[in-house]
Amino acid sequence: MGYQLWLSSVTGYRRKGTRFSSLQKIFMDNVTVKDVYEPLLCCKENDDAIQAQEALKQREFNIAGVINELGEVVGYVETDTLVDNAVSTHTKKITIDQVISDSTPLAQLLKIFRERDFAYVNHGSKIVGIITKADINKPPVRVYLFGTLSLFEMHVNTWIKYFHPKNSWFIEIKTSRIDQAKEVYEKRKGKNQDLTLLDCIQLADKREILSKSPDFLKQFDFEKKSFIELLKSAEKIRNELAHSQDSIISNLEWTAFVDVLDHVECFLLGSDNAVEKIAEDGSKDFEEYLTLPA
């Protein structure tokens, strides 16, 4: 589909669902923390601390809420601190910075966990649950991340075609990698008239191509080294998602994981704007550059 995926060559109309902001909006408006948080396991204030600790350890909980006689959450306890007396003697206050709304968009969740391991979830004025970094592995979050990274690779393809017209990117990677791509192309093409050889090379090859393009690096204010690292890390996350690993955050330190996705989002927003500006300016015919056959 090439250029037609992004903009109508006749009207210049940007097609629905092709902007990163459109993907974000879906997860801002419709998918929120309420779809992934867990109910908060609670102890009673007057429960025996040692018995509560045993119950929590059996369930592999490191933390639990504390409720009063009215069933209201009045604080929390850490499992390892429950060594004697009543639970109330070990109760800590829940502060406002530890609480998020159940209407918080999933798209904001990664940034929330940049500085913390968990957050309490409230509905109105009532604390109803807890959400942790482990909840990032749940399907709704995975769908958002996979959509983001898939769109990222589509934009990478677009700029390879733009800065390397007429398949001139061939010379930037090893012949053996081209041969591998041709084998994949032959297996996949079938009746798919829109498939190109570029669709069949690895993300590592695409990284190699664009990292050698001064015009691309300048366009998006990348240093060669930082661009290479970004694509390596993005590929790690994408592979974890694609292969349905139990944990998608095990191969990157958490701060690095969040930073990579921040950079991917910034690139997508900038790329969206650049695609539209070039089409509007008519400085190059996108249809020529983005619909070349393999």
Side-chain angles (χ1 to χ4, degrees), residues 43-255:
C43 309
K44 295 178 180 178
E45 285 184 301
N46 58 359
D47 283 347
D48 179 78
I50 294 178
Q51 291 180 357
Q53 184 188 64
E54 291 175 355
L56 291 172
K57 284 186 174 181
Q58 287 178 359
R59 293 168 175 78
E60 298 184 342
F61 278 80
N62 297 321
I63 199 167
V66 178
I67 56 175
N68 61 20
E69 293 179 354
L70 299 176
E72 299 168 331
V73 177
V74 294
Y76 71 98
V77 288
E78 296 171 341
T79 302
D80 291 340
T81 67
L82 297 172
V83 292
D84 53 26
N85 299 319
V87 166
S88 59
T89 62
H90 306 283
T91 301
K92 297 182 179 180
K93 183 179 180 181
I94 296 176
T95 57
I96 190 66
D97 62 301
Q98 293 176 301
V99 181
I100 62 174
S101 170
D102 66 346
S103 62
T104 302
L106 285 191
Q108 295 179 4
L109 199 53
L110 296 179
K111 295 179 178 64
I112 288 172
F113 284 142
R114 185 187 289 276
E115 303 297 336
R116 67 183 83 173
D117 294 326
F118 69 92
Y120 296 102
V121 180
N122 68 359
H123 179 76
S125 61
K126 183 180 180 181
I127 291 178
V128 294
I130 189 170
I131 188 164
T132 71
K133 288 179 180 177
D135 294 312
I136 296 297
N137 293 300
K138 292 180 177 177
V141 187
R142 286 174 177 255
V143 169
Y144 173 67
L145 296 178
F146 191 76
T148 298
L149 292 171
S150 295
L151 193 57
F152 176 64
E153 187 164 4
M154 290 167 66
H155 277 254
V156 165
N157 289 353
T158 292
W159 294 111
I160 290 175
K161 293 174 183 178
Y162 181 71
F163 286 111
H164 294 274
K166 304 184 189 303
N167 285 335
S168 59
W169 54 266
F170 277 27
I171 64 174
E172 304 295 347
I173 57 177
K174 295 178 180 179
T175 302
S176 59
R177 304 293 286 183
I178 297 291
D179 292 340
Q180 289 176 19
K182 287 180 178 178
E183 290 179 12
V184 173
Y185 175 77
E186 290 300 322
K187 291 177 182 178
R188 290 175 56 192
K189 68 177 183 179
K191 296 181 180 180
N192 185 356
Q193 301 300 315
D194 294 323
L195 186 69
T196 69
L197 192 61
L198 181 60
D199 296 317
C200 300
I201 67 172
Q202 299 296 313
L203 190 55
D205 297 318
K206 297 172 186 180
R207 179 182 73 226
E208 183 77 8
I209 294 166
L210 284 180
S211 68
K212 295 177 180 177
S213 171
D215 290 336
F216 169 77
L217 297 175
K218 182 179 179 180
Q219 172 87 36
F220 295 101
D221 197 26
F222 277 123
E223 292 184 0
K224 182 176 181 178
K225 182 178 179 180
S226 63
F227 175 72
I228 290 173
E229 289 303 314
L230 174 61
L231 262 72
K232 283 183 178 180
S233 297
E235 185 176 18
K236 284 182 182 179
I237 298 172
R238 188 207 61 180
N239 289 345
E240 297 292 324
L241 288 163
H243 299 151
S244 300
Q245 300 298 322
D246 288 341
S247 175
I248 60 175
I249 57 179
S250 58
N251 281 336
L252 281 176
E253 190 269 333
W254 179 260
T255 301

Side-chain angles (χ1 to χ4, degrees), residues 263-280:
H263 290 312
V264 166
E265 291 180 3
C266 288
F267 169 76
L268 286 173
L269 293 170
S271 182
D272 271 336
N273 291 335
V275 165
E276 292 179 8
K277 186 177 187 305
I278 291 173
E280 290 170 1

